């Protein structure tokens, strides 16, 4: 493989006419430069310079290589500048994914801060649920994903991925306002054993969340409505179709319902992570992770 330092010496010999002048440009002695040029000849198995006691000139092979050295070295210089720009957050790109409630709650503000402070980094965002985001991370099409897991449900396959815990949020019970208890304060899920329940679709991957919490409270929920998203669950609760467990970030204010804290722990919580590839040490990823923490403090 061609050594860029030796190529630079040959190029400078061609432009200055002497090894001494090329050595001065390289910041080394003429003897060291001569040794490097001789090593370049050995690497290629070709004579590049015709040396005499008083002068040096390029052979035909040397001229051909010197002509090619310019574009090659320019490409290397450009690559080095691009790497330095990325390392200094003056270039490159950052691809982010997050699920909807996190995106609305704190990811978008964090992205806004990132874009304001690092305008030269191309920022791309895709809304993805956690089950969709993890394969995209592994494939390299996403650099950072805000994901969630419901404890104590089984964990996903995280081989090759790192997770930074961002927020451990409790579950609340969304109840139609007309059915809310008169007394304020935390409630026991068992008090709603006879209610109709709104829960996730069985295709969401977390379909067992409501069932698990209710069973921990000592009853089997009567699920009459299944939905894909928390906004839809809240809409159904507000319309009087049942009650629903929702994480705190999803508990947005809506007319016709109230969000009640749960007194007796169900063991069910939602843990939110910043998930990245283990091998990725991108400065952009590190900075956005810090902005996510800051935006969460504001949101919660």
């Amino acid at each position: 493989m061609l050594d860029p330092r030796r190529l630079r010496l040959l190029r400078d010999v061609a432009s200055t006419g002497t090894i001494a002048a090329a050595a001065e440009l390289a910041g080394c002695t003429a003897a060291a430069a001569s040794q490097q040029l001789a090593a370049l000849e050995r690497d290629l198995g070709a004579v590049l310079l015709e040396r005499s006691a008083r002068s040096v000139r390029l052979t035909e092979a040397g001229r051909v290589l010197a002509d090619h050295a310019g574009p090659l070295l320019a490409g290397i210089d450009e690559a080095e500048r691009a790497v330095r720009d990325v390392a200094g957050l003056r270039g490159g790109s950052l691809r982010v994914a997050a699920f909807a409630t996190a995106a609305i709650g704190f990811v978008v503000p964090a992205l806004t801060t990132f874009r304001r402070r690092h305008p030269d980094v191309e920022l791309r965002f895709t809304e993805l649920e956690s089950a969709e985001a993890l394969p995209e991370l592994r494939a390299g099409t996403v650099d950072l994903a805000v994901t969630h897991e419901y404890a104590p449900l089984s964990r996903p396959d995280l081989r090759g991925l790192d997770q930074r815990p961002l927020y451990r949020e409790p579950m609340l019970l969304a109840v139609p306002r007309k059915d809310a208890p008169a007394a304020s304060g935390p409630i026991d899920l068992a008090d709603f054993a006879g209610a109709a329940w709104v829960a996730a679709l069985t295709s969401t991957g977390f379909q067992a969340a409501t069932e698990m919490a209710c069973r921990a409270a000592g009853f089997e929920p009567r699920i009459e409505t299944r939905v894909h998203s928390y906004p839809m669950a809240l809409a159904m609760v507000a319309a009087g179709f049942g009650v629903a467990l929702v994480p705190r970030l999803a508990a947005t204010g809506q007319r016709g319902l109230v969000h009640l804290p749960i007194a007796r722990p169900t063991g069910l919580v939602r843990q939110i992570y910043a998930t990245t590839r283990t091998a990725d040490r991108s400065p952009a990823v590190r900075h956005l992770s810090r902005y996510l923490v800051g935006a969460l403090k504001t949101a919660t």
Side-chain angles (χ1 to χ4, degrees), residues 25 29 64 67-68 77 108 156 179 188 213 217 222-223 225 245 287:
L25 289 173
T29 65
V64 169
D67 288 343
H68 282 81
D77 290 343
V108 170
D179 297 331
D188 191 324
R222 177 167 52 88
I223 299 174
T225 304
L245 282 172
H287 278 71

Side-chain angles (χ1 to χ4, degrees), residues 89 112-120 291:
L89 294 175
T112 302
T113 299
F114 184 97
R115 187 172 59 177
R116 184 178 69 251
R117 295 182 181 177
H118 313 291
D120 296 326
Y291 300 154

Side-chain angles (χ1 to χ4, degrees), residues 217-238:
F219 68 96
E220 192 72 26
R222 177 167 52 88
I223 299 174
E224 296 185 351
T225 304
R226 287 196 180 271
V227 297
H228 179 72
S229 66
Y230 284 118
M232 188 62 195
L234 294 178
M236 295 302 286
V237 172

